[in-house]
Structures are given as C-alpha cells and as structure tokens.
Amino acid sequence: MTPRGSFRGDPPELRVPLSTDPGEVPRLRHLVREQLRAWRLAGAAEVTLLLVSELVTNALLHGRPPLELRVAAIGEKVRVEVHDAAGDRPPARAFPPPDAPHGRGIEIVAALANRWGSAPSPLGKVVWFEEDVTARP
C-alpha cells in the first residue's frame, strides 16, 4: 500500500484519488515510477511518466472532481487511466499556434502512446493510454 493509493485485483492495479492541487503531478509521477519498478516495468517509465503528467494536468485544468488515477499492468502493456466527473466533455485535440505556451497535452499523448482514447465511465469520463512494455529482471 502506498500513501493514498490502493492495489486491487487481477491484473494488478494502482488506484489513487486526486486532489485539485497542481502538486499532484509530481506526486503521481513518483507513485507511478515506484509502482512500475515494483512490477519490474521500470523500462517503460520515462514515456509513461511524461504521459501521466499530461493526463493529470489535463484533468486538473479541464475535469471536475472527483478525480482518480488508475494504473494497471496487463500482460505486456501498462494502462493508465484518469477518471473525472466531467462526462460531457471528452478531451479535444488542439492545434495551438507554435508560440502558444500550452494546449499540447493530448497531442503529446496521441503522438507517444501506443494507444489512447476516452470513454464514459461511472465517475463521468475516463481518458486513458497504453504503453507496450516488456518486464525486466
């Protein structure tokens, strides 16, 4: 058990409720990094952590509480989900001008994740991505 997180079922899954504090982003990167190490999937960490940052930031800026992060190891992939109560607004892909300071989070997810999407969820909506990984000894 990690602080404010819980593990469930098969496949192994980490669930962490989120506050609306921007300090959640580095805290969650740390929790996800440690969980990937525990699952011996640390080789997936850098891209996965960047994409966790993007999804969590997007939820903090555009979602509605309650917010929850879920990370699961499913065979040869890691699935990361961010749930929020804003079920009426799936994430929009934006194409900001080159000099805009923000607005590229979903584009980064779309470019780097093996798969990504959004769907309705019991909380409202879920935005997710998957990374193909190989366990390391």
Side-chain angles (χ1 to χ4, degrees):
M1 177 84 71
T2 57
R4 296 186 57 212
S6 64
F7 298 100
R8 299 183 183 194
D10 187 24
E13 182 180 67
L14 171 68
R15 290 184 177 205
V16 184
L18 310 180
S19 77
T20 57
D21 179 354
E24 287 290 88
V25 177
R27 181 180 80 88
L28 291 170
R29 277 196 310 261
H30 175 76
L31 286 175
V32 171
R33 180 186 303 278
E34 293 307 310
Q35 189 57 57
L36 292 174
R37 282 186 186 142
W39 288 334
R40 295 186 174 175
L41 298 173
E46 295 312 313
V47 170
T48 301
L49 295 174
L50 172 63
L51 299 181
V52 164
S53 296
E54 296 300 333
L55 285 193
V56 170
T57 299
N58 194 60
L60 293 175
L61 291 174
H62 306 293
R64 282 196 313 256
L67 306 169
E68 182 179 64
L69 173 78
R70 298 180 188 176
V71 182
I74 306 168
E76 296 292 311
K77 66 183 175 185
V78 171
R79 182 178 175 100
V80 175
E81 301 176 350
V82 176
H83 294 254
D84 74 74
D88 57 333
R89 296 177 286 168
R93 291 183 70 179
F95 300 94
D99 58 345
H102 53 77
R104 293 174 183 81
I106 293 299
E107 288 306 309
I108 292 170
V109 173
L112 296 178
N114 293 114
R115 288 162 297 285
W116 82 279
S118 66
S121 81
L123 286 176
K125 79 166 177 300
V126 57
V127 182
W128 58 271
F129 70 86
E130 293 178 348
E131 283 293 302
D132 296 331
V133 297
T134 303
R136 299 186 185 223

